[in-house]
Amino acid sequence: MVGAVSRAVMDVPGTVPAPPVEAPEGGATPEPVTSTEVRQATGIVYLVGAGPGDPGLITLRGVECLHHADVVLYDYLANPALLEHASPSAELVPLGRKGSGRVYTPVEITERMLEEARSGRTVVRLKGGDPSIFGRGADETAALREAGVPFEIVPGITSGLALAAYCELPITQQDDASAVALVTGRERDDKTTSCLDYDSLASFPGTLIFYMGVGRCAKWSAELLAHGRSPDTPVAIVRQCTRADQGLVRCTLATVAEVVKARGVRPPALFVVGDVVERAPDVSWFTARPLFGTRVLVPGSRATSTRLAGRLAGLGADMVVSPVLRISAPADWSAVDAAVDRIHEYDWLVFSSQSGVDHFLGRLFARGGDARRLGRARIAALGSTTANRLRQWGLRADLVPEESVVDSLANMLLEHARGRWVLLIQANRGREALARALEEGGARLECVAAYESTDELVPDPEVAAALAAGEIQWVAVTSGATARALARLYGDGLRRPRLASIGPVTSAALKELGYLPAAEASSHTANGLAEAILEAERASGTRARGARPPTERSSV
C-alpha cells in the first residue's frame, strides 16, 4: 500500500521532547510510563483491533498499547498511519499480503508472537477490524493461553458496522430490517462440514453482511438463490470502507457475481444483502467532503507532517505520508547547554520552528530548569505554528509576524533588537537568510543548533511508483529543505502531480529547482497549505482526476 510507514523515515528514537505534563495535586510531575515498566517477566501480547481503515477509528486503548509496544506485528488491512502511534524504537513487522512479498502463515504469526513475548517484550498484534470477528482471534488467544503468555484483547470497529455510518446505509431499519447477520463468504478449505445454514440465511428476516466474499461470490450468492432468496434482492458492494477511496456499487443478488467479475472487484470489499441497501444515498457525508478521492503526498518530517496530514484528511484527502527528512537531537549537546547556562544574558530568544521549541525547551527542562530560567528574555517565533507550539510549553511569544517569512520576522525584530543580544534557535541547517538579516541589521547575534535535520537517502519505492503512475494528484511542500529533498529523491516524478507550497520562500526554492508550484498558501501554516490545495481544486472544477464516483449502479 502506498504510504506504508517505514521506520527509516521517521524521527530518530527518543529525540523529540514533549511539552511538560500538568502536575497533579501535590506538585509532583508524573513520569512517562515506558514499555519496559509495563513489561511482565514473560512479556505480554495485546491483540488490538485496528478498525476498518480510517486511522481515526482506533480506540484510545489501542493507541495506548501501540505507544508501549516493543514490537508491532501488523496486517495489511491495518492502516499504516496507525504505526505513527508506536514508539520510534519499536520494531515494526508487516505480515504481508498475497502477491506482494513475503506472507506470514497463521502458524508463523503465532510462533512469532510467542517468541517475542517469551523474550520479555511487549507485543501488539495489530489486526484489521476487530480481532474476534473473522480475525482468528480465538485461535491466537488459545495458543497464548496454552503457552502461559499473558494477553489482552482490545476490540476494534468491524467494517460491517462502520459501513452503516460511512455509507449512510442503515443495516437495521424499523421497516426493512430488525436484525443483522455477519457472515463469512469463505470458510476454511480444510473444513469437512460447512457451518453455514443457507436455508436459514435465505429466509433471514434482516440484513446479511458478507465478509471475505469476493473470491467465492458466485458460490454464496448461488446458495442463497437456490434456497429461496429473491433474485431481485438489493446488494451493495462496499469497497475500501472508511478509506479515502471508498466506493459503493449497487446491484442485485442475481447479478452480483457478474458485477464482481466484470468490474474486477478486489478485496477488501463487503457485500450487504437486503432491502436496506436502497436507503443509502448516492453521496454520503463521507464521500461529500471536498477533497474526497484526491491523493496528496505529505513529505517533510514527522513533526511537520502530522498537523498538515490531519487537516487534509479532515477534508477527505487520501494521505500518503512519507517523510523525506529526519529530525533528531544534536550529537553533542554542549552548545545548547552553554546557551541554556547563559540564557539570562540574552534579550531575545528567536525560535524558527516547532522542532526548535521542543528540543531547546526539552533540554532546558531535562537539566532541571523551567520557564523561570528565561528571565527577562523576550521571545520571537517564526509563524503561528511555532507560536502555537510555544503555547503548549506555557510560553507566549512577544513577536510573531503575520506571515511565516524570514524578512517579515527580521524587520519586526530589528525594531526592538538592534544592539541587543539575540539567540537564534534553529536546526543544524539553519536559516542563513534570517541570521544574515539580523546581523546586518545590528543585532548582537548568536546561533545554536538545537536539533539536526537530515535528508532521507533512499526514495520510498511505492511512492515513486505512485508518482510515476499519476496516482498522486498533489504534493504538499512545507519548506525549502523539503523541496530539495523531494527533488533529489523523486526528480521528474514530481512533474506529474501539482505542487503546493507553504509560502514564498518555499515557492522560490521549488522554482530554483525547476518546479512551478500550482498553489501557494496565503497563510503560511499547515491549515493555510491545506486551504490552498482546496481552493485550487475548486478553481479547477475537478473532484479528483481519475477518481471513480463514490456510488455506482451496475447495469450488468
Side-chain angles (χ1 to χ4, degrees):
M1 177 181 293
V2 171
V5 178
S6 167
R7 180 59 63 202
V9 297
M10 286 188 174
D11 298 339
V12 173
T15 60
V16 181
V21 179
E22 182 179 353
E25 293 183 15
T29 300
E31 292 294 324
V33 179
T34 66
S35 58
T36 302
E37 292 169 335
V38 300
R39 187 184 302 164
Q40 307 210 9
T42 56
I44 185 169
V45 174
Y46 296 96
L47 276 66
V48 176
D54 184 337
L57 296 181
I58 191 172
T59 64
L60 292 175
R61 180 58 177 161
V63 170
E64 184 180 40
C65 293
L66 283 169
H67 179 69
H68 295 313
D70 297 308
V71 58
V72 180
L73 310 176
Y74 63 97
D75 289 344
Y76 85 93
L77 288 175
N79 193 314
L82 295 176
L83 301 178
E84 294 279 356
H85 297 300
S87 165
S89 61
E91 181 183 0
L92 307 179
V93 182
L95 299 177
R97 177 178 186 175
K98 289 183 179 179
S100 180
R102 183 191 172 185
V103 179
Y104 281 69
T105 66
V107 172
E108 289 174 326
I109 293 171
T110 300
E111 289 176 348
R112 181 67 182 268
M113 282 194 303
L114 293 173
E115 176 188 345
E116 298 290 353
R118 284 166 173 158
S119 68
R121 305 182 84 187
T122 297
V123 181
V124 164
R125 169 77 170 94
L126 189 62
K127 304 166 73 72
D130 182 279
S132 302
I133 299 178
F134 304 126
R136 294 191 63 257
D139 294 343
E140 293 178 348
T141 56
L144 292 167
R145 180 176 283 108
E146 183 179 351
V149 173
F151 64 87
E152 177 182 327
I153 303 173
V154 180
I157 298 176
T158 186
S159 298
L161 303 185
L163 68 83
Y166 278 60
C167 297
E168 292 186 55
L169 197 167
I171 57 177
T172 61
Q173 204 280 332
Q174 57 186 355
D175 295 323
D176 294 332
S178 296
V180 61
L182 307 182
V183 187
T184 179
R186 176 176 180 174
E187 295 186 277
R188 281 204 329 253
D189 294 331
D190 60 352
K191 290 178 69 172
T192 56
T193 304
S194 173
C195 294
L196 295 178
D197 181 348
Y198 278 100
D199 190 49
S200 296
L201 289 175
S203 60
F204 183 74
T207 305
L208 303 177
I209 301 178
F210 281 85
Y211 287 64
M212 302 172 291
V214 173
R216 299 188 181 178
C217 178
K219 181 181 186 307
W220 60 257
S221 59
E223 289 281 4
L224 288 175
L225 291 170
H227 286 80
R229 193 79 177 214
S230 169
D232 296 326
T233 302
V235 174
I237 305 171
V238 180
R239 51 185 171 79
Q240 299 288 0
C241 181
T242 78
R243 295 178 183 264
D245 54 349
Q246 172 181 296
L248 186 152
V249 177
R250 304 175 194 266
C251 55
T252 66
L253 188 59
T255 62
V256 63
E258 296 176 64
V259 171
V260 167
K261 182 178 179 180
R263 291 176 176 266
V265 176
R266 296 176 58 82
L270 296 163
F271 297 81
V272 184
V273 180
D275 292 339
V276 292
V277 168
E278 295 302 327
R279 295 185 177 273
D282 288 340
V283 180
S284 71
W285 68 267
F286 180 65
T287 59
R289 295 180 302 168
L291 291 182
F292 179 81
T294 303
R295 178 168 282 184
V296 183
L297 173 61
V298 179
S301 69
R302 185 182 187 184
T304 60
S305 64
T306 301
R307 181 186 295 269
L308 175 59
R311 175 58 178 152
L312 287 168
L315 293 169
D318 182 9
M319 304 309 307
V320 180
V321 180
S322 182
V324 296
L325 301 174
R326 297 193 218 182
I327 302 299
S328 62
D332 183 357
W333 282 105
S334 59
V336 177
D337 290 343
V340 168
D341 291 340
R342 297 176 46 236
I343 203 166
H344 59 281
E345 299 178 9
Y346 298 106
D347 300 292
W348 281 90
L349 304 179
V350 181
F351 291 93
S352 62
S353 69
Q354 57 182 336
S355 293
V357 172
D358 287 340
H359 285 83
F360 186 83
L361 295 179
R363 186 63 174 176
L364 170 66
F365 276 67
R367 299 183 70 221
D370 56 31
R372 292 172 296 181
R373 287 287 304 277
L374 303 184
R376 63 185 178 85
R378 301 177 72 187
I379 299 175
L382 181 58
S384 59
T385 299
T386 305
N388 289 338
R389 194 60 173 171
L390 281 164
R391 277 196 289 272
Q392 293 178 23
W393 285 85
L395 298 170
R396 188 181 299 276
D398 299 286
L399 189 153
V400 184
E402 291 186 6
E403 297 185 347
S404 300
V405 178
V406 166
D407 290 344
S408 297
L409 177 58
N411 292 335
M412 290 181 66
L413 186 57
L414 286 172
E415 293 180 12
H416 309 278
R418 284 189 176 89
R420 296 185 179 277
W421 284 104
V422 176
L423 178 64
L424 175 58
I425 300 160
Q426 55 185 358
N428 58 318
R429 301 185 293 189
R431 298 180 182 270
E432 296 178 2
L434 178 56
R436 183 169 57 252
L438 292 175
E439 281 189 319
E440 292 175 354
R444 303 172 71 179
L445 182 70
E446 289 187 10
C447 300
V448 64
Y451 65 100
E452 294 183 357
S453 170
T454 56
D455 293 341
E456 175 57 34
L457 301 178
V458 180
D460 183 323
E462 294 186 346
V463 171
L467 287 168
E471 296 173 354
I472 293 175
Q473 284 79 47
W474 283 94
V475 179
V477 189
T478 53
S479 69
T482 300
R484 289 184 286 273
L486 279 168
R488 181 176 49 77
L489 288 171
Y490 299 111
D492 286 341
L494 298 175
R495 302 197 183 281
R496 294 197 68 174
R498 290 185 282 179
L499 307 182
S501 161
I502 200 168
V505 174
T506 302
S507 293
L510 284 169
K511 292 173 184 176
E512 185 177 337
L513 293 163
Y515 304 96
L516 185 65
E520 180 181 291
S522 55
S523 172
H524 312 311
T525 64
N527 284 343
L529 184 51
E531 290 299 323
I533 294 174
L534 177 59
E535 289 303 316
E537 282 288 303
R538 285 172 172 166
S540 68
T542 58
R543 184 182 184 89
R545 288 170 289 176
R548 291 194 291 180
T551 300
E552 303 172 75
R553 291 186 182 272
S554 174
S555 58
V556 174

